[in-house]
Amino acid sequence: AQSVTQLDSHVSVSEGTPVLLRCNYSSSYSPSLFWYVQHPNKGLQLLLKYTSAATLVKGINGFEAEFKKSETSFHLTKPSAHMSDAAEYFCVVSDPLFGNEKLTFGTGTRLTIIP
Amino acid sequence: EPEVTQTPSHQVTQMGQEVILRCVPISNHLYFYWYRQILGQKVEFLVSFYNNEISEKSEIFDDQFSVERPDGSNFTLKIRSTKLEDSAMYFCASSESRDTATDTQYFGPGTRLTVL
């Protein structure tokens, strides 16, 4: 079965410092991987996705993620945190073997930015 | 930018009552989904819907749940007889196609359902 594990439930960084949100996945086939962000009282917004093309994926707002098959990881990074980055971040996997439209979510990481 | 909308933002109901959660997907999208998130737990897939029928559903989506596209714009989730454990945030999503490798599911802001 497909699954994702987000290793940190809460991450705090100072404004202007790098962000690292960790995600490991389990999938039996060639997965699609996503990061979604949820700001308070807003819907889930797609940040970026990996779909078997380039392993380094660039998303919106300066975020990027690297697909590492050998480590089954898809960590999200940003070189310099901004106050507006404070939100909940979800790592998500879908696997053609389990029905391509079904998204499987991690438990989420709450990112706090310290001024 | 087009967006998925959901109403109400918060619904409080008594156990055993029926509730209908409403969603307006993005207008040119053909695939519709419901997910839910129980407080402190993962967002879970409930059901996908295409061409007026369910295309996939999870084990959570039992006979108490039903979905409908009653007109050209709304997509609804009905819970026939609510239980305490149905308390959760319910997210609606829509996409142009079913292939997440080539397309994106767009999510609404959610409806928080509280069952007393």
Side-chain angles (χ1 to χ4, degrees), chain B residues 4-7 21-25 33-34 73-76 92-93:
Chain B
V4 176
T5 59
Q6 290 185 243
T7 53
L21 308 183
R22 300 180 194 281
C23 167
V24 179
Y33 313 87
W34 284 101
S73 58
N74 288 285
F75 178 52
T76 61
C92 174

Side-chain angles (χ1 to χ4, degrees), chain B:
Chain B
E1 185 179 313
E3 58 182 19
V4 176
T5 59
Q6 290 185 243
T7 53
S9 57
H10 192 187
Q11 172 95 44
V12 181
T13 190
Q14 296 290 326
M15 191 170 55
Q17 294 296 304
E18 175 184 285
V19 293
I20 298 176
L21 308 183
R22 300 180 194 281
C23 167
V24 179
I26 294 172
S27 61
N28 65 328
H29 286 183
L30 301 176
Y31 292 82
F32 314 112
Y33 313 87
W34 284 101
Y35 291 80
R36 78 171 186 191
Q37 185 181 30
I38 295 171
L39 190 63
Q41 298 185 25
K42 297 183 180 187
V43 176
E44 302 169 290
F45 169 81
L46 289 178
V47 66
S48 58
F49 189 85
Y50 168 71
N51 199 27
N52 280 319
E53 58 184 39
I54 291 172
S55 57
E56 188 176 351
K57 62 181 181 178
S58 72
E59 60 276 7
I60 303 167
F61 194 86
D62 61 22
D63 292 343
Q64 293 282 63
F65 293 91
S66 62
V67 289
E68 192 180 27
R69 189 153 162 83
D71 54 41
S73 58
N74 288 285
F75 178 52
T76 61
L77 174 69
K78 183 194 288 187
I79 309 175
R80 259 180 272 284
S81 177
T82 50
K83 308 186 194 79
L84 294 176
E85 54 265 36
D86 294 327
S87 295
M89 181 72 91
Y90 289 81
F91 293 104
C92 174
S94 69
S95 62
E96 288 187 52
S97 75
R98 70 185 291 268
D99 188 351
T100 54
T102 57
D103 205 348
T104 296
Q105 290 184 22
Y106 292 87
F107 284 78
T111 292
R112 180 163 297 286
L113 176 65
T114 302
V115 182
L116 302 175

Side-chain angles (χ1 to χ4, degrees), chain A residues 4 32 34 36 38 42-44 46 49 51 90 94 98-103 105 107, chain B residues 33 35 37 42-43 45 48 55-56 91 98-105 107-109:
Chain A
V4 286
S32 297
F34 313 80
Y36 276 83
Q38 186 180 28
K42 298 285 188 183
L44 294 155
L46 181 68
K49 69 179 179 182
T51 57
F90 295 94
S94 76
F98 296 100
N100 221 18
E101 72 253 52
K102 175 184 168 183
L103 300 180
F105 283 72
T107 49
Chain B
Y33 313 87
Y35 291 80
Q37 185 181 30
K42 297 183 180 187
V43 176
F45 169 81
S48 58
S55 57
E56 188 176 351
F91 293 104
R98 70 185 291 268
D99 188 351
T100 54
T102 57
D103 205 348
T104 296
Q105 290 184 22
F107 284 78

